[in-house]
Amino acid sequence: MNLHVKFPSGGFRGLIDSYTHTRGESIYLDDIPEISGTLFGACFDSPIAHGVIKDLDYSEALKSEGVVRIFTSQDIPGRNQIGGIVEDEELLAESKVHFCGMPIALIVATSEESARLAVKKVKVKIDPLPVITDPREAKEKNELIIPPRTFKIGDTASSFEKCAYVFEGRADSNGQEHLYIETQGAYAVPSENGSLKIYSSTQGPTAVQRACSKVLGIPMHQLEVDVTRLGGGFGGKEDQANAWAALCALAAFHLKRPVKYALHRMEDMRMTGKRHPYSSDFKIGLSKEFKILAYEATFYQNAGAAADLSPAVLERTLFHCTNSYFIPNVKATAYSCRTNLPPNTAFRGFGGPQGMFVIESAIAKAAEELKVNASEIQKRNLIRTGEEFPYGQIAVSEANECWVKAEELYELNKATQEVRNFNAENKFLKKGIALMPICFGISFTKTLMNQARSLVHVYSDGSVNISTGAVEMGQGVNTKILQVAANVFSISPDKVKINSANTFRIANTSPTAASAAADLNGRATMMACNEILGRLKIVGAKELGCKPDEIEIREECVYANDGKSKLDWKQLVMLAYTKRVSLSEHAHYATPDIHFDLKAEKGHPFSYHVYGTGIVTVTLDCIRGIYEFDSVKVVHDFGQSMNPVIDKGQCEGGIVQGIGWMTMEEIIYDKEGKLKSNALSTYKVPDVYSAPKQIDVHFLETKNNSLALFNSKAVGEPPLMYGIGAYFALRNAVKAFNAGSLISFDAPLTPEKVLMALYSGKS
Ligand code: MTE
Ligand code: LUZ
Ligand code: MOS
């Protein structure tokens, strides 16, 4: 493996997986060599969104060629329950179905084709029940997943009275298909005494282990879950990989043969949940000087038919409902509404983007009514260090730094003037520009999840092997963990290998999520490596006749009191081994100082916040309603990036994914709860042609990041939220063509909706 740079201190660049990725040699679930005798699963899933199962007839399917057995809820030896936060989700439907795509039976056959052919021969009679797809309707009918939650600071009612301006409105954002390149899937292999090894495309190996343990009714110690890497997760495999693993495990458990199930794209789109659509009401009050004095919001989250992660997503919507602004009086209430859609789930940003879209809509509404640029209001209200978020945490803010730097670096005044000039000169082409400041809290909002472990082995040849609970899904976490070991030991990256995430090596892992995997698992790795290094120093000191703290390893040479010794890394390791000193360590890290009181809805839930400012510019064709994003220019708070190539990639990917959510990816369920956008021909994600023509990422170096790994702030989710600026840039372009447009705050702003908006409100 050529890693370009021998030592990390020389500036480590890129991803360790690049080599095998580009050669097509990286191993994903479907690349695992199949053991002979492997069987294949496929689900018969509900064609109806809500109803009572009257009859299930799979006699024809059983006779179908290659079919070995068909499993229903009756075959579950443990509990038919996969709900994580709330126990409200059956693995296989018993008497009722709650959404189109809900698994009813698992067909196991000798080939994938046979299994899928047999699925078509299953007959079901379902007495339909009323279908709810709209979260506001669910709220009216009191169909709530959990009781509503409210975050409050100050007193909104009395402050609205003091405001010079008050505006109200409604904002809607739609869901988003994860569209990981690798679909969901699992492969369960039985071993002795009823144990199983389960390969799963999951962000949460322990979540899979727990779900399988519950379903099979066997202890977790019999379930080895192994994850080499994912072809993307984006939150979609934080919780929703469990079902497929549990189904494979169920079949393998009964049949004592390996069983695999990798979903086809359309099955995946139909059966799995997505980003939560939200419908929200807002009320914003400003002073004469455009200070936001009061803000109220009510969020209706479309949770789908079961809780899944919705309560946690709901919470993050509240945490981020004021984005990067300080507002002294806030009251935000959120309802998690049960509908008859597949349970919606984690998706990059985890409810944060939905909350941020609403405050940005409120600001845009105010700006439009007051006939000023939204940026006038945005800038005046950016949170400052020492100010308080509605949930009680005191900000250590980079919001102003990012904004001011973006203004200067990207010559905002000039850019704004250019847009104005362009619009004055062009009748049917209009440009729009918008600024999007972001603020995202790093840590799982559930405090207990902020823990991780790392198992480090140094072998007698000086090579190092590391296991953590972190799952590599293209975000580069393995590279960052490798950098930690290479750095602490001061050895070549070639000497370090990162293992698959495996529940027998690392127990009780939190999912790789919340952008926190490198911080948590990297810290644990740093602790383990430092522990081993300490032992090596004692061995070296004895050998070289000095004190342990006088020993240093630099680029694989051992130094005593700054003098190069006769020992190198390999010899030191071998010496320790011969002296019977342990060369392995298992370390545990728990983020310090975070807490949250659920009764008061106050606390200090995040180890830190990530800030940034993006400037989005778009050109709109006002005859066709189509558009191109000229540029997205951001100043992003990276702390001190430990791997600029990875971090820039995360920014670019996040931005394009955010733009997709806001402008073109349109999930459509009909009134009966059937997914109409159920294939890549009807669901459009950004391609190279629709990605912005230019993306600039400026690395703002900031301090105060001692809880970040090597002071390098978490980067996985925050950049997605720059994409929200795309909606507002596009909206501004529409308004430049038709100031009286009746355009609503309704994302995604697809070309279709743009075209309607361009000519709405005109007589
Ligand atoms: N990047 C790639 N290439 N693929 C992914 O699936 N998931 C995102 C982000 N970046 C994702 C990604 C999400 S939702 C999260 S939470 C983080 O990566 C998780 O990894 P981290 O904690 O190591 O940042
Ligand atoms: N998952 C989770 C997350 O369980 N808790 C979180 O706070 C979170 N945040 C972002 C993404 N996933
Ligand atoms: Mo990311 S939504 O935390 O998997």
Side-chain angles (χ1 to χ4, degrees):
M1 199 190 331
N2 177 11
L3 286 164
H4 313 296
V5 180
K6 203 162 176 220
F7 294 100
S9 50
F12 193 87
R13 293 171 65 83
L15 213 73
I16 49 172
D17 284 344
S18 306
Y19 182 79
T20 51
H21 278 3
T22 45
R23 292 170 61 95
E25 291 171 356
S26 297
I27 292 183
Y28 299 87
L29 182 95
D30 215 18
D31 302 311
I32 297 168
E34 280 151 16
I35 295 168
S36 85
T38 291
L39 300 171
F40 299 85
C43 270
F44 173 74
D45 59 294
S46 179
I48 301 273
H50 195 198
V52 180
I53 301 176
K54 284 293 171 189
D55 186 48
L56 181 67
D57 173 9
Y58 51 80
S59 51
E60 284 303 309
L62 256 184
K63 286 186 232 152
S64 192
E65 197 206 314
V67 170
V68 174
R69 190 165 156 185
I70 297 181
F71 295 91
T72 66
S73 62
Q74 316 240 315
D75 300 300
I76 293 174
R79 298 177 55 212
N80 183 20
Q81 185 49 250
I82 54 165
I85 298 178
V86 181
E87 295 207 323
D88 67 350
E89 190 176 356
E90 291 169 357
L91 175 65
L92 290 167
E94 280 172 30
S95 57
K96 272 186 174 181
V97 289
H98 299 280
F99 61 92
C100 284
M102 181 173 182
I104 297 174
L106 177 74
I107 288 144
V108 177
T110 49
S111 76
E112 276 194 69
E113 294 71 23
S114 300
R116 288 198 168 82
L117 261 177
V119 164
K120 296 204 178 101
K121 297 179 182 168
V122 179
K123 293 185 202 88
V124 69
K125 276 203 197 99
I126 297 174
D127 277 357
L129 290 167
V131 171
I132 303 176
T133 58
D134 177 68
R136 290 186 191 247
E137 186 189 338
K139 152 76 172 48
E140 281 311 306
K141 300 193 166 141
N142 210 25
E143 286 288 343
L144 297 180
I145 301 273
I146 50 160
R149 287 179 67 179
T150 298
F151 279 21
K152 238 163 80 177
I153 187 169
D155 175 28
T156 47
S158 67
S159 9
F160 276 123
E161 285 167 23
K162 291 179 210 137
C163 289
Y165 314 106
V166 176
F167 304 102
E168 292 181 64
R170 168 178 167 155
D172 291 87
S173 60
N174 203 346
Q176 186 175 21
E177 167 62 44
H178 298 88
L179 219 88
Y180 20 66
I181 295 177
E182 179 193 27
T183 54
Q184 303 267 7
Y187 183 29
V189 181
S191 61
E192 59 184 22
N193 298 320
S195 293
L196 289 167
K197 178 164 186 174
I198 301 165
Y199 300 93
S200 165
S201 181
T202 179
Q203 291 173 238
T206 294
V208 164
Q209 187 189 24
R210 220 178 261 134
C212 292
S213 153
K214 218 194 266 186
V215 167
L216 297 183
I218 62 174
M220 287 167 77
H221 71 206
Q222 279 181 275
L223 293 159
E224 177 181 10
V225 179
D226 192 273
V227 189
T228 296
R229 66 164 63 71
L230 314 184
F234 304 110
K237 296 168 182 171
E238 181 173 337
D239 213 53
Q240 298 211 351
N242 298 0
W244 325 110
L247 288 170
C248 289
L250 173 68
F253 183 81
H254 281 294
L255 297 170
K256 311 243 176 309
R257 284 172 72 176
V259 177
K260 181 170 156 180
Y261 185 12
L263 274 65
H264 285 183
R265 181 63 68 186
M266 284 178 77
E267 295 171 342
D268 190 304
M269 292 178 84
R270 184 174 76 235
M271 294 199 270
T272 66
K274 307 168 195 320
R275 182 189 291 286
H276 294 78
Y278 274 65
S279 186
S280 312
D281 298 315
F282 61 78
K283 181 174 175 186
I284 189 169
L286 301 94
S287 73
K288 268 210 168 60
E289 297 76 32
F290 298 160
K291 272 271 178 201
I292 305 173
L293 299 180
Y295 178 63
E296 283 183 359
T298 308
F299 301 101
Y300 302 94
Q301 176 198 55
N302 192 335
D308 192 273
L309 292 165
S310 297
V313 171
L314 190 82
E315 179 173 72
R316 204 176 261 281
T317 301
L318 292 171
F319 280 118
H320 296 309
C321 72
T322 55
N323 189 10
S324 53
Y325 307 110
F326 170 65
I327 306 178
N329 303 285
V330 176
K331 186 177 166 206
T333 299
Y335 297 90
S336 183
C337 310
R338 194 187 297 275
T339 60
N340 297 110
L341 301 182
N344 286 314
T345 194
F347 196 132
R348 210 172 192 171
F350 206 73
Q354 290 95 321
M356 287 157 68
F357 178 67
V358 180
I359 181 76
E360 292 302 327
S361 294
I363 291 172
K365 167 96 180 176
E368 287 167 15
E369 297 285 338
L370 296 168
K371 301 204 166 22
V372 297
N373 284 336
S375 57
E376 305 265 337
I377 300 172
Q378 290 171 309
K379 184 179 180 180
R380 233 158 279 193
N381 291 283
L382 294 171
I383 196 162
R384 289 171 191 280
T385 296
E387 289 175 337
E388 187 179 343
F389 288 103
Y391 48 91
Q393 184 156 344
I394 304 301
V396 178
S397 178
E398 311 290 350
N400 287 279
E401 288 69 11
C402 291
W403 181 285
V404 169
K405 184 73 194 173
E407 261 182 357
E408 285 171 16
L409 185 68
Y410 302 125
E411 303 184 281
L412 181 65
N413 286 338
K414 196 171 144 211
T416 310
Q417 191 54 50
E418 276 168 10
V419 167
R420 238 182 256 133
N421 295 346
F422 182 92
N423 289 346
E425 287 159 17
N426 291 277
K427 191 163 177 210
F428 290 112
L429 281 180
K430 295 291 178 192
K431 280 189 190 288
I433 186 167
L435 275 86
M436 182 65 203
I438 62 157
C439 167
F440 197 77
I442 301 303
S443 287
F444 288 94
T445 56
K446 197 175 168 79
T447 301
L448 82 82
M449 292 175 80
N450 296 285
Q451 53 170 313
R453 282 150 293 275
S454 176
L455 177 63
V456 177
H457 296 311
V458 179
Y459 292 102
S460 55
D461 67 350
S463 66
V464 177
N465 188 306
I466 298 174
S467 294
T468 73
V471 169
E472 176 61 50
M473 47 187 163
Q475 88 282 35
V477 67
N478 279 357
T479 304
K480 288 183 173 178
I481 290 171
L482 180 145
Q483 281 180 264
V484 170
N487 238 288
V488 172
F489 291 137
S490 194
I491 58 176
S492 162
D494 294 314
K495 285 209 161 49
V496 187
K497 161 133 181 14
I498 309 294
N499 258 321
S500 60
N502 182 297
T503 55
F504 278 2
R505 281 191 298 271
I506 301 294
N508 309 320
T509 64
S510 292
T512 291
S515 305
D519 277 3
L520 294 171
N521 297 282
R523 278 301 181 111
T525 301
M526 191 183 282
M527 290 166 72
C529 291
N530 272 320
E531 188 61 36
I532 295 170
L533 181 66
R535 289 177 211 145
L536 288 172
K537 283 182 176 178
I538 294 172
V539 171
K542 264 200 192 131
E543 179 74 10
L544 299 170
C546 63
K547 291 190 194 125
D549 59 6
E550 290 164 354
I551 295 282
E552 207 189 329
I553 298 165
R554 285 183 222 152
E555 305 197 345
E556 295 182 12
C557 297
V558 179
Y559 288 73
N561 279 316
D562 270 342
K564 200 168 178 171
S565 78
K566 58 178 186 188
L567 289 177
D568 65 10
W569 163 258
K570 259 174 129 168
Q571 291 162 327
L572 180 61
V573 166
M574 186 45 104
L575 189 62
Y577 173 66
T578 58
K579 305 267 181 217
R580 298 188 294 168
V581 169
S582 167
L583 291 168
S584 297
E585 182 66 14
H586 178 264
H588 169 86
Y589 175 73
T591 312
D593 302 332
I594 50 171
H595 53 87
F596 194 71
D597 175 349
L598 282 162
K599 269 221 178 81
E601 301 283 24
K602 299 277 178 196
H604 187 102
F606 299 119
S607 51
Y608 55 88
H609 290 87
V610 170
Y611 295 87
T613 294
I615 305 176
V616 185
T617 313
V618 70
T619 304
L620 171 61
D621 174 338
C622 301
I623 293 174
R624 297 174 185 84
I626 57 175
Y627 45 80
E628 282 184 327
F629 288 97
D630 305 332
S631 61
V632 176
K633 299 178 178 182
V634 312
V635 170
H636 187 84
D637 159 28
F638 287 95
Q640 287 149 276
S641 174
M642 67 184 284
N643 193 318
V645 174
I646 288 177
D647 288 354
K648 187 165 181 248
Q650 285 294 297
C651 275
E652 292 171 343
I655 287 167
V656 175
Q657 199 166 37
I659 291 178
W661 172 52
M662 279 282 110
T663 68
M664 62 195 302
E665 299 182 35
E666 191 169 34
I667 288 176
I668 299 176
Y669 288 99
D670 67 14
K671 284 264 176 286
E672 274 69 56
K674 252 207 160 66
L675 182 66
K676 305 312 265 181
S677 50
N678 65 350
L680 293 185
S681 52
T682 45
Y683 186 78
K684 180 92 182 103
V685 289
D687 54 20
V688 281
Y689 302 105
S690 48
K693 293 218 271 298
Q694 186 186 352
I695 297 181
D696 287 353
V697 179
H698 177 77
F699 284 62
L700 189 77
E701 276 216 9
T702 56
K703 302 215 161 51
N704 309 311
N705 314 314
S706 59
L707 289 175
L709 183 63
F710 285 135
N711 299 312
S712 178
K713 283 192 172 183
V715 71
E717 294 168 286
L720 178 129
M721 283 151 265
Y722 294 125
I724 297 172
Y727 169 90
F728 292 96
L730 200 43
R731 182 182 173 93
N732 289 340
V734 170
K735 289 260 173 175
F737 180 76
N738 173 9
S741 169
L742 303 174
I743 184 170
S744 50
F745 294 103
D746 182 13
L749 193 39
T750 57
E752 217 174 325
K753 286 195 212 156
V754 169
L755 192 62
M756 300 300 278
L758 281 167
Y759 299 96
S760 65
K762 279 198 160 171
S763 48

